[in-house]
Amino acid sequence: MIIRWWRAVAGSQEVLQHYADHLDRTTFKEMAALPSHLGASLAVKVNGTDCELVVTSLWSDLGSAGHFEQGAFDDAVVKPSTQKLLKSFDLKVEYFETLVTTGILKGE
């Protein structure tokens, strides 16, 4: 399994909620329809007024994880409307190959 990892910062709880709603309504539904997609999540860590967020998506193989590729394989795909919303964001995504899993990731 491949984990696709991307980080950003929302400058407020309001922006975080707007972004979370956007992911839930559009991006995560689009990903769910793609072959070999295994799931996705948005995680957050509040640091003062900033909300650090991590978006992860799970894929069965590296080739499938590149569905969002528009430039280089590790270029982040961040729509202009999302760029305006967020305080900062990574320009690149990271890919990790899963070696050992447990729980729901293992299918238990």
Side-chain angles (χ1 to χ4, degrees):
M1 178 174 57
I2 301 297
I3 299 171
R4 186 177 190 269
W5 177 281
W6 178 76
R7 296 175 59 99
V9 175
S12 69
Q13 289 283 339
E14 181 182 13
V15 170
L16 172 65
Q17 189 58 55
H18 182 76
Y19 183 65
D21 291 343
H22 163 74
L23 285 179
D24 191 44
R25 278 191 331 271
T26 60
T27 307
F28 282 1
K29 288 183 179 175
E30 292 169 6
M31 277 195 274
L34 294 172
S36 301
H37 179 260
L38 303 174
S41 66
L42 169 64
V44 65
K45 176 175 71 172
V46 178
N47 186 7
T49 58
D50 287 343
C51 301
E52 298 177 42
L53 55 97
V54 174
V55 178
T56 58
S57 56
L58 307 174
W59 302 89
S60 62
D61 58 79
L62 191 58
S64 298
H67 282 296
F68 291 98
E69 183 178 350
Q70 291 184 348
F73 188 72
D74 62 347
D75 283 349
V77 178
V78 187
K79 295 177 182 176
S81 59
T82 302
Q83 292 178 19
K84 291 177 187 176
L85 184 68
L86 297 171
K87 186 174 182 178
S88 65
F89 56 90
D90 288 350
L91 298 174
K92 299 287 185 179
V93 298
E94 294 184 69
Y95 294 93
F96 298 88
E97 184 176 0
T98 303
L99 298 179
V100 178
T101 61
T102 188
I104 60 171
L105 296 178
K106 192 171 183 177
E108 295 176 346

